[in-house]
Amino acid sequence: ESATAFGCLMSDMWLGEFDCVSPEVFHSVLGKRYPTFSKRTQQDAQEFLICVLNELHEALKKVRAPLCKRRCVTDANASREGVSETSIITQLFEGQLSYDVTCLECKTTTDRPESFTVLSLPIPSKSACSLQDCLKCFFQQDTLTWNNQIHCSWCGTKQDAAVKATITKAPQIIIFHLKRFEWQGKHKRKLLTDICYPLSSLDLSPYSSPLLCKDTEYSLCAVANHSGFLDGGHYTAFCKHSVTKNWYSFDDAQITEIPNSSVQTDTAYLLFY
């Protein structure tokens, strides 16, 4: 149902019969599955995006078993290990990180792979910074101590560890979530940091496996902006036309062409490359 409603929305948007299109039918269908988003209160765009991607993946997925396992499908007890679920969503948006976790006692390193569709980046400054600063902060080596210690299989006990992430599979479309909402004590607040992000030639090779060097340059294709604060605000979007390469601003029913210089804004919340 959700995939059908999304398909209808895409058709309405691209057939060119309307000046503007309201996604109310798709929103209503999704609200039945995720009641949080059926309310009229402000919700988080990143959480909504993840729900949309998950819902479309579930509706469109195909289960594929490796070739060596396909002979065993008649065996009811055949292992499901190695069975993967793919969809147009995973093909476009899914990447993979590898976390190298090194025990600081015995220096043994283990590799922990993890799939992602959205990378949530910390903002290391309250005044101004660049997207590269956010990426460096995310991918820098971190130390796990106290309650975050790992159980080292070599030492047989809990130990402090160093952990560092690397991109081992770069998605066709990479989505960055800028973590503008953070807890300060018992209160949550919004960071109004002006973050400078490139419109083209974003190079992810410093954070990627050496095998990926050819496929790690990205160009910006869309931005979701949030103006306002925690309890109220307004979302708008900038999108690049895939054919004409012109940028457009989407502000409720108002759609306007904008110059490249207007794409850089201090309200950016989600970046699509």
Side-chain angles (χ1 to χ4, degrees), residues 52-113:
V52 169
L53 293 177
N54 285 344
E55 189 70 7
L56 293 178
H57 168 68
E58 287 299 318
L60 302 170
K61 70 186 178 183
K62 300 169 184 171
V63 178
R64 287 183 184 163
L67 284 172
C68 60
K69 303 256 183 196
R70 284 183 188 159
R71 298 173 198 152
C72 315
V73 291
T74 52
D75 181 359
N77 297 317
S79 170
R80 286 189 53 79
E81 187 181 332
V83 173
S84 63
E85 294 177 341
T86 63
S87 69
I88 185 67
I89 302 301
T90 56
Q91 288 163 26
L92 291 176
F93 297 102
E94 189 176 89
Q96 191 162 57
L97 297 173
S98 174
Y99 287 94
D100 283 342
V101 183
T102 304
C103 171
L104 295 180
E105 178 65 28
C106 69
K107 308 304 180 193
T108 301
T109 298
T110 54
D111 168 39
R112 295 184 182 175

Side-chain angles (χ1 to χ4, degrees), residues 235-249:
Y235 283 109
T236 61
F238 300 149
C239 300
K240 187 180 183 181
H241 195 291
S242 56
V243 179
T244 65
K245 307 301 181 189
N246 295 329
W247 280 92
Y248 292 86
S249 167

Side-chain angles (χ1 to χ4, degrees), residues 1 25-38 55:
E1 191 181 2
V25 175
F26 176 65
H27 177 259
S28 173
V29 169
L30 206 78
K32 290 174 187 171
R33 290 275 290 117
Y34 303 94
T36 301
F37 300 115
S38 65
E55 189 70 7

